[in-house]
Amino acid sequence: MKQILTLCVVFAAGMGLSVEAGLLGPLGERVGHMSATLCIFLVGSLLLSLALIFAPRRALPELFAQPRWMLTGGVLGPVYVVIITSVTPLLGVGTTMVAILFGQIAAGLLLDHFGVFGVARQRVDGYRLGALVLIAAALALIH
């Protein structure tokens, strides 16, 4: 039951990403893609700062003691948002999200297969590769 609830939460988060892309595309067209990206990161930073006040575990000093490579993920967020802000008006929300999903799954399978960043190794088998091929087919069909 816990796994089903967790999958539902992740599903809802994925829906939120599509809504975000739908909102950011027009915003980027009106104010510029970088300005739209800055806006959502400012709003997000404000909300996270407020949430951090109530977080049961605040370990900001420990954060800066971590290896620098672990903090490079912060570079990927703005790059992702600028890309979806820029391409959603051109491709539409559906095509953009399926293309992102394809990239996420492809990278995820590689990270799992090789156990990169300390994740548990999960070999890419025919089922996983087949799923990736089906997502590629979905991208071709939806585009």
Side-chain angles (χ1 to χ4, degrees):
M1 183 64 175
K2 183 178 177 182
Q3 282 188 335
I4 291 172
L5 182 60
T6 302
L7 285 172
C8 288
V9 169
V10 173
F11 176 75
M15 292 177 76
L17 287 176
S18 293
V19 171
E20 179 183 42
L23 294 169
L24 283 173
L27 181 62
E29 294 279 299
R30 292 182 181 179
V31 302
H33 303 301
M34 298 298 240
S35 296
T37 300
L38 177 63
C39 174
I40 69 143
F41 276 97
L42 288 174
V43 170
S45 294
L46 175 63
L47 290 173
L48 285 172
S49 296
L50 290 173
L52 192 59
I53 294 170
F54 302 103
R57 181 171 182 241
R58 291 180 289 249
L60 288 178
E62 292 175 26
L63 177 67
F64 297 105
Q66 301 307 308
R68 297 292 177 245
W69 67 266
M70 287 184 156
L71 304 178
T72 60
V75 172
L76 299 174
V79 169
Y80 165 82
V81 173
V82 167
I83 289 170
I84 66 167
T85 303
S86 303
V87 304
T88 299
L90 302 172
L91 298 177
V93 177
T95 300
T96 300
M97 291 295 105
V98 175
I100 286 171
L101 176 66
F102 179 70
Q104 288 175 326
I105 300 300
L109 289 176
L110 284 172
L111 294 173
D112 282 349
H113 184 77
F114 294 107
V116 180
F117 306 130
V119 301
R121 288 185 72 168
Q122 297 181 23
R123 297 235 178 249
V124 174
D125 58 13
Y127 292 111
R128 289 172 167 241
L129 198 56
L132 185 62
V133 168
L134 289 174
I135 294 169
L139 178 57
L141 290 171
I142 204 165
H143 181 64

